[in-house]
Amino acid sequence: MQQLDWKNLPFGYVKTDYNIRCTYKDGKWGNLEVSDSEYISVHMAATGLHYGQEAFEGMKAYRGKDGKIRLFRWNENAKRLLRSAEGVLMAPVPVELFKEAILKVVKLNEKFVPPYGTGASLYIRPLLFGSGAEVGVRPAKEYMFVVFVTPVGPYFKEGFNPVKIAIVRDSDRAAPLGTGTFKVGGNYAASLRGVVKAQKAGFNSPMYLDTKEKRYIDEIGAANFFAIKNNTYITPKSDSILASITNMSIIQLAEDLGLKVERRPVAVEELESFEETGACGTAAIISPIGEINDLETGKIYKYCNGGKPGPISTKLYETLVGIQYGEVADKHGWITVVE
Ligand code: PLP
Ligand code: COI
């Protein structure tokens, strides 16, 4: 195994030893197969390649101080993959098959789970796509479920430090009745112009507004948006954003801390009045936002706390990460230890 610089890992791909594959054919799933190849042989007319009949998940395995490896709410990822499969008419991956695949792939690549204290974790990427050949636009009859892992560092190089976000108005990620609520590849293809535009302008990530009126905040690149004001945790309700498992968990933690929670449309102008803002997701964890720049109107919103994350974001971050690494009591039963 190559020597990995655990503390400086980017959020990127690192080759590991094994991945898992499973094929759906003749109306049923086959057995899980372990592979040491990074490549898949796919039919050139596969619907996943042509028509974006594809969905994926993202979750992490965390190494605690006690050496144990923990998964966080994997069953929510399994359920979301079921919803995504339904969204683009793919064969669903049964929850038990999903569980067996992720536990197996983590166990087989145990040595790639970064050591405790490095801020890194093992990212687990399950993906499902139409592998059957079709030329007309219709769902495939065959599917492939693959799970690979890769050790990763923070999604934003800033780690738990304020990031800069750009409001992008000239491209949309998802339509209200489209696929925005599903974790399907097409949404990410549609987001690329916004991502690159924001990055070229010197920002970490784009903020998308609702596509109909451009009045309300949707989400931030590959993360949900939240804000803190008057001891209240505020996060957008929208029919074109992904239901983040991290956000759902932080909502619970905010309630545990005695905060009020509001899930409702959040107008852009409200950015003016927030005390703290942040992005949250498996990859982003909780990334506090220091600045939001509306590229088209030139309006800039700043959240300064002497250049540090705000107090409530910090408390939420410490609690969430504490649970994931096994240092804070798991009172909601979110953790599965990999035996
Ligand atoms: N929004 C989008 C578009 C995402 O890709 C992700 C990442 O999965 C999230 C939000 C955060 O979701 P989760 O917390 O379940 O990782
Ligand atoms: C995740 O947070 O798991 C994501 O899916 C982000 C990813 C698209 C980079």
Side-chain angles (χ1 to χ4, degrees), residues 65-223:
K65 210 183 226 169
D66 54 8
K68 289 185 182 161
I69 301 170
R70 291 173 174 81
L71 299 179
F72 184 73
R73 307 193 78 173
W74 65 265
N75 52 325
E76 294 298 333
N77 294 88
K79 285 195 274 178
R80 193 168 62 190
L81 187 60
L82 287 176
R83 295 199 298 274
S84 298
E86 202 179 324
V88 292
L89 304 186
M90 297 192 287
V93 176
V95 172
E96 276 310 307
L97 186 70
F98 183 96
K99 180 183 184 186
E100 196 188 334
I102 56 164
L103 288 175
K104 193 164 191 166
V105 77
V106 171
K107 198 72 195 152
L108 285 169
N109 293 292
E110 205 168 339
K111 65 179 192 238
F112 292 96
V113 184
Y116 172 80
T118 56
S121 55
L122 187 73
Y123 189 72
I124 308 168
R125 172 53 63 84
L127 59 133
L128 170 67
F129 61 92
S131 52
E134 299 289 343
V135 179
V137 179
R138 64 175 73 89
K141 293 179 194 71
E142 292 175 17
Y143 292 87
M144 203 164 173
F145 174 51
V146 177
V147 190
F148 71 82
V149 293
T150 177
V152 295
Y155 193 59
F156 297 124
K157 64 180 186 323
E158 284 75 2
F160 187 60
N161 282 303
V163 296
K164 287 168 72 183
I165 301 298
I167 299 178
V168 169
R169 292 170 180 268
D170 59 357
S171 66
D172 290 326
R173 172 192 168 272
L177 295 176
T179 54
T181 56
F182 307 124
K183 201 164 168 65
V184 299
N187 296 340
Y188 297 80
S191 78
L192 286 174
R193 280 187 294 149
V195 168
V196 170
K197 180 173 177 168
Q199 287 175 351
K200 275 196 175 152
F203 297 87
N204 296 89
S205 196
M207 171 184 275
Y208 295 105
L209 304 183
D210 82 280
T211 54
K212 206 166 167 188
E213 296 184 81
K214 299 272 183 233
R215 273 191 65 197
Y216 301 101
I217 297 170
D218 253 1
E219 56 185 334
I220 303 216

